[in-house]
Amino acid sequence: MHAVVCIKQVPETTEVRFDPETNTMVREGVPGMINPFDEYAIEEALLTKERFGGKVTVLSMGPPQAAETLRKTLAMGVDQAVLVTDRAFAGADTLATSYTLAMAIRKLVPVDIVFCGRQAIDGDTGQVGPGVAHRLGISQLTSVSKVKNIDWESGRIEVERLLESGIQVIESSLPALLTVVKDINQPRLPSLLRMKRAKQAEIPTWNATDIEADPAQVGLEGSPTQVIKTFSPPKRTGGQRLSGEPGEMAKELVDKVFAAKII
Amino acid sequence: MALLEVIKDKCKGCGLCVEACPFEAIEILDNLAVIKESCTGCGACLDSCELEALYLPKIEKKPAVDVSAYQGVWVFIEHQDSQIAHVSLELLGKGRESADKLSTHLSAVLLGDDISPIIQQLSKFDIDRIYCIEDPVLRDYRTDSYVVAASSLVRKYRPEIILAGATTTGRDFASALATELETGLTADCTELDIDPEQGLLVQTRPAFGGNIMATILCPHHRPQMATVRPKVMEMPAIVDSNDAEIIQESLSLTEDQILTKIVDFIPSIDTVNLADAQIIVSGGRGLGGTENFGLIEELAEVLGAAVGASRAAVDAGWIPYPHQVGQTGRTVRPRIYFACGISGAIQHQAGMKTSEMIIAINKDPDAPIFDIATYGIVGDLFEIVPLLSQQFKKKLGK
Ligand SMILES: Cc1cc2nc3c(=O)[nH]c(=O)nc-3n(C[C@H](O)[C@H](O)[C@H](O)COP(=O)(O)OP(=O)(O)OC[C@H]3O[C@@H](n4cnc5c(N)ncnc54)[C@H](O)[C@@H]3O)c2cc1C
Ligand SMILES: Nc1ncnc2c1ncn2[C@@H]1O[C@H](COP(=O)(O)O)[C@@H](O)[C@H]1O
């Protein structure tokens, strides 16, 4: 069994604060972290390996410093981590990113299962996983909250998907790509021993030539969408604080809600 | 070419952009902002510069397709059990407005089996055409069959814009379809407009957990595709004309060519459907235990609301994950959001701060939730929440 996990390095959210005075995000010198949903993807790959044997490869496209994030995944127990990095990849939108990742995954075949996070918390798009699956011509199972069964004999996988209106149980042929949600497992912490080893581990880097990427399909060049403007959302300020005895406050609040004619 | 340019004459090296950059990709050298390799061109810094010294250079690209050959606005109709998803109807309103601005037609795209009840529902709205494919393999949404069907329609009829709801299904569908068509897709838009000069779809969406808004274009590829967040666009007016032209196409796809098979569907109880709820009552660590969620459920029941939770409450095992609101849970936009015993950490806010009215009940007067609450009550939730249930019950005559 060979599982590939796509992970993204994202800005550390616990450290990013929004400064209402200057309208900017304030960061306190942190290099970034694994996109939270991707930790669940890594854990699920490791659990799959523990059940069936095989190996887990983690893949990330990003700037050179993303190597540090990959190192952490080695400390969690993945077998191999690859950084896909090239100046030419900069400015990629989801179409170009999924192309690049799919080309890198092609270099890793045979691959039985690909895990992604449901979405990255910086871009919040959830488009990359499906894009990769589609390019690889394998089925995409998004928003997976449970892997119920994998049958290698028949090459089928059965999972639960968390939809707004309920849980869908769906079965698919393998290989398949799964995007996972938080409920699927409890990610393990990196072990100390592995952490030491991971420090010395070599993380191979692949550039555009290594993955045989078409220059017209990567980075800014390969991105149909263009950001033309960014701005701060209208600021939401605290409104009114009610005062008085609990009973009075409750009554006042109920009156206000009715006055707003929502109920 | 760099992704981000500094206008050297304007930059004074004040460093505001350095603070604004989420990727530590800007430094100040000799009183001048210098862009490092780690820049992703995300644009988060642009607004921080008071001197307007930063810009994202426009890249001149040749059109990938003959854009003039693509016309019309399409809305993907998401449905389940013969019921159209609310967001699809909302998009018919926005779609109409966009089509009018472009002087083109608005079409609904309907894929399914036994679709006449859905066509019936669509007839209440001002639509010019309904493109449909009716086939047993399309009975339930599945990525592969729907993408094959939709892409065949797109290739034949060439719409310039396709809109879908930013639901789990809508995002799953649009992502695969955009990849198949090799065009741009903007996720989870909260504003859409048509640029009067070029007639392009101007797509605006939150990024970085809602901390910045980005406006995005897809100038050279067609169709221009966007998923749109539920409940931000207004419902269109109901009309009584029923004259949409119906265009039927067929699909040559058999069940054995499809990679997936739906085994079962377990509908959630009403209190979990956060996406559709008009009112959400959420509880956090302040509840202190699973048994106390009864208080939240009681208020929710009185109001016909869904029950939400902070991650702290979910991680403590007091309530299952589908209830979690926030960055690693669901993004919600109800008309009223009650936060009871929730501090309002940024990750929680990322999932609920666009709610129309926010009501916070927390005993800590300095809790960050009060910074965004429309109405705040500083007090003990064990005292306040039952009082609210009582008062609402009385008012509602229950
Ligand atoms: C990567 C990442 C992702 C995350 N994703 C999410 C997410 O999706 N959703 C989410 O919610 N969080 C998320 N978090 C966690 C988030 O940072 C907070 O830890 C969490 O939201 C806190 O939950 P809480 O407000 O219930 O608990 P606390 O912060 O402990 O707040 C409890 C509040 O209850 C009040 N209180 C206590 N007793 C009473 C009482 N009797 N009456 C009234 N008030 C009382 C206290 O004053 C306090 O303000 C994430 C964190 C990380 C690092
Ligand atoms: N640059 C990247 N490198 C590796 N994986 C990525 C990258 N961007 C996105 N992904 C994967 O795709 C998922 C969804 O990301 P997004 O579509 O950006 O919300 C993430 O959770 C990752 O698993």
Side-chain angles (χ1 to χ4, degrees):
Chain A
M1 192 277 315
H2 184 197
V4 173
V5 189
C6 297
I7 70 159
K8 186 175 190 187
Q9 187 184 47
V10 294
E12 185 105 39
T13 44
T14 41
E15 304 296 330
V16 182
R17 277 187 302 116
F18 199 66
D19 181 344
E21 301 275 290
T22 59
N23 252 336
T24 57
M25 294 209 282
V26 184
R27 299 193 67 228
E28 272 123 28
V30 274
M33 60 174 193
I34 303 177
N35 175 44
F37 284 105
D38 302 353
E39 291 196 25
Y40 301 92
I42 295 169
E43 178 64 28
E44 201 55 34
L46 292 172
L47 291 172
T48 311
K49 176 187 158 177
E50 281 164 10
R51 272 177 67 196
F52 301 106
K55 70 171 179 189
V56 176
T57 304
V58 169
L59 197 65
S60 186
M61 179 192 95
Q65 63 265 33
E68 287 320 299
T69 305
L70 284 170
R71 226 171 268 289
K72 276 189 214 146
T73 71
L74 289 171
M76 282 175 77
V78 310
D79 300 285
Q80 159 178 227
V82 179
L83 177 64
V84 186
T85 186
D86 196 311
R87 284 294 285 154
F89 299 153
D93 71 0
T94 56
L95 191 75
T97 302
S98 61
Y99 170 75
T100 309
L101 290 173
M103 290 307 281
I105 292 171
R106 288 224 162 90
K107 269 196 70 134
L108 291 166
V109 288
V111 172
D112 301 291
I113 186 160
V114 182
F115 291 98
C116 288
R118 182 186 75 186
Q119 67 195 67
I121 58 163
D122 52 355
D124 277 336
T125 81
Q127 290 172 187
V128 169
V132 170
H134 197 76
R135 288 183 185 277
L136 294 173
I138 62 178
S139 64
Q140 69 188 47
L141 302 168
T142 53
S143 206
V144 171
S145 55
K146 185 175 183 177
V147 174
K148 290 190 75 171
N149 190 30
I150 300 180
D151 181 354
W152 300 104
E153 292 270 290
S154 60
R156 308 287 295 179
I157 183 168
E158 188 177 308
V159 303
E160 289 184 2
R161 296 179 60 222
L162 185 63
L163 306 180
E164 287 83 349
S165 55
I167 288 173
Q168 181 190 63
V169 185
I170 187 167
E171 189 202 67
S172 161
S173 62
L174 288 165
L177 180 143
L178 277 58
T179 79
V180 305
V181 297
K182 170 179 168 265
D183 208 24
I184 194 165
N185 56 42
Q186 183 61 51
R188 67 196 69 191
L189 294 170
S191 86
L192 246 90
L193 183 75
R194 287 213 183 89
M195 220 137 49
K196 268 197 206 132
R197 260 189 280 153
K199 276 212 180 85
Q200 272 114 49
E202 193 170 335
I203 297 190
T205 58
W206 293 349
N207 64 20
T209 322
D210 294 328
I211 60 168
E212 294 168 45
D214 166 10
Q217 294 195 60
V218 301
L220 208 49
E221 191 62 34
S223 299
T225 60
Q226 286 180 10
V227 177
I228 54 157
K229 187 174 86 177
T230 63
F231 56 98
S232 310
K235 239 180 290 169
R236 179 161 203 145
T237 48
Q240 193 186 347
R241 245 181 239 211
L242 309 182
S243 57
E245 288 301 306
E248 289 163 21
M249 289 195 284
K251 185 162 183 313
E252 193 185 347
L253 181 68
V254 171
D255 288 341
K256 287 190 182 302
V257 169
F258 276 94
K261 297 218 178 341
I262 296 177
I263 298 178
Chain B
M1 188 188 51
L3 298 173
L4 174 72
E5 296 282 358
V6 181
I7 306 172
K8 297 203 171 86
D9 297 342
K10 287 190 179 173
C11 178
K12 298 264 189 295
C14 72
L16 282 176
C17 55
V18 176
E19 283 172 35
C21 175
F23 300 99
E24 295 189 327
I26 312 180
E27 59 189 349
I28 305 294
L29 286 177
D30 296 333
N31 287 323
L32 194 66
V34 176
I35 314 302
K36 295 197 276 191
E37 252 192 51
S38 45
C39 172
T40 66
C42 75
C45 58
L46 297 184
D47 206 44
S48 72
C49 182
E50 289 166 354
L51 304 167
E52 298 185 358
L54 296 170
Y55 70 100
L56 296 172
K58 274 225 175 76
I59 29 162
E60 284 314 317
K61 277 202 225 168
K62 276 190 245 98
V65 292
D66 172 13
V67 299
S68 66
Y70 289 75
Q71 262 161 30
V73 177
W74 285 14
V75 171
F76 170 66
I77 303 297
E78 183 181 333
H79 56 89
Q80 193 179 8
D81 301 328
S82 301
Q83 276 298 314
I84 300 178
H86 204 264
V87 63
S88 301
L89 299 177
E90 292 157 16
L91 287 177
L92 290 174
K94 195 69 198 180
R96 178 81 265 165
E97 181 194 305
S98 308
D100 289 350
K101 284 189 186 170
L102 290 162
S103 314
T104 186
H105 48 265
L106 169 69
S107 308
V109 178
L110 178 54
L111 310 173
D113 187 24
D114 188 17
I115 55 179
S116 50
I118 303 171
I119 293 185
Q120 194 68 35
Q121 292 166 56
L122 287 174
S123 70
K124 288 190 281 206
F125 301 95
D126 181 13
I127 309 169
D128 302 314
R129 296 176 193 166
I130 303 174
Y131 290 97
C132 39
I133 302 184
E134 194 166 18
D135 195 296
V137 300
L138 299 174
R139 195 175 73 98
D140 294 300
Y141 170 78
R142 280 178 296 175
T143 319
D144 34 2
S145 53
Y146 269 57
V147 169
V148 169
S151 60
S152 72
L153 290 174
V154 173
R155 292 204 167 99
K156 184 158 178 188
Y157 295 103
R158 303 181 172 214
E160 59 195 298
I161 291 171
I162 303 180
L163 307 176
T167 55
T168 305
T169 296
R171 286 182 181 220
D172 183 286
F173 168 74
S175 304
L177 181 62
T179 312
E180 168 66 25
L181 300 169
E182 298 198 34
T183 189
L185 170 62
T186 305
D188 203 24
C189 296
T190 53
E191 277 169 55
L192 292 176
D193 203 356
I194 299 294
D195 143 54
E197 272 148 46
Q198 293 169 281
L200 292 173
L201 182 67
V202 182
Q203 311 161 88
T204 298
R205 66 178 304 257
F208 294 99
N211 282 325
I212 57 172
M213 303 294 291
T215 299
I216 292 167
L217 297 180
C218 175
H220 305 306
H221 295 66
R222 291 294 178 276
Q224 304 163 79
M225 290 183 62
T227 60
V228 180
R229 188 175 285 189
K231 297 210 286 226
V232 296
M233 304 297 172
E234 292 216 12
M235 272 293 275
I238 305 249
V239 293
D240 38 31
S241 73
N242 182 3
D243 50 8
E245 181 190 351
I246 296 186
I247 298 157
Q248 294 261 16
E249 291 288 339
S250 58
L251 184 71
S252 57
L253 192 66
T254 52
E255 189 57 44
D256 55 294
Q257 291 174 291
I258 300 171
L259 302 172
T260 51
K261 195 182 228 108
I262 296 171
V263 180
D264 199 4
F265 181 75
I266 306 142
S268 57
I269 42 173
D270 283 351
T271 56
V272 193
N273 199 331
L274 299 172
D276 290 344
Q278 294 284 345
I279 306 177
I280 295 175
V281 184
S282 282
R285 182 150 30 212
L287 277 169
T290 188
E291 63 286 358
N292 299 329
F293 256 92
L295 291 179
I296 299 294
E297 281 155 12
E298 190 190 345
L299 178 56
E301 199 191 313
V302 173
L303 296 170
V307 173
S310 72
R311 176 167 176 170
V314 171
D315 286 356
W318 301 342
I319 185 163
Y321 172 67
H323 293 273
Q324 185 186 316
V325 171
Q327 189 182 68
T328 46
R330 289 217 183 276
T331 302
V332 299
R333 198 174 189 277
R335 299 203 63 193
I336 314 179
Y337 188 90
F338 288 86
C340 312
I342 292 177
S343 60
I346 51 165
Q347 296 91 351
H348 190 77
Q349 288 193 18
M352 47 65 77
K353 74 175 162 204
T354 57
S355 304
E356 196 175 313
M357 178 190 282
I358 296 171
I359 294 168
I361 298 143
N362 195 306
K363 66 180 181 191
D364 172 10
D366 298 323
I369 192 75
F370 288 121
D371 299 341
I372 60 164
T374 322
Y375 298 114
I377 293 184
V378 178
D380 187 348
L381 74 90
F382 291 102
E383 201 169 357
I384 307 286
V385 175
L387 284 170
L388 288 176
S389 300
Q390 226 173 59
Q391 294 277 354
F392 275 117
K393 229 187 235 165
K394 212 156 77 190
K395 273 262 188 183
L396 291 164
K398 285 194 182 174

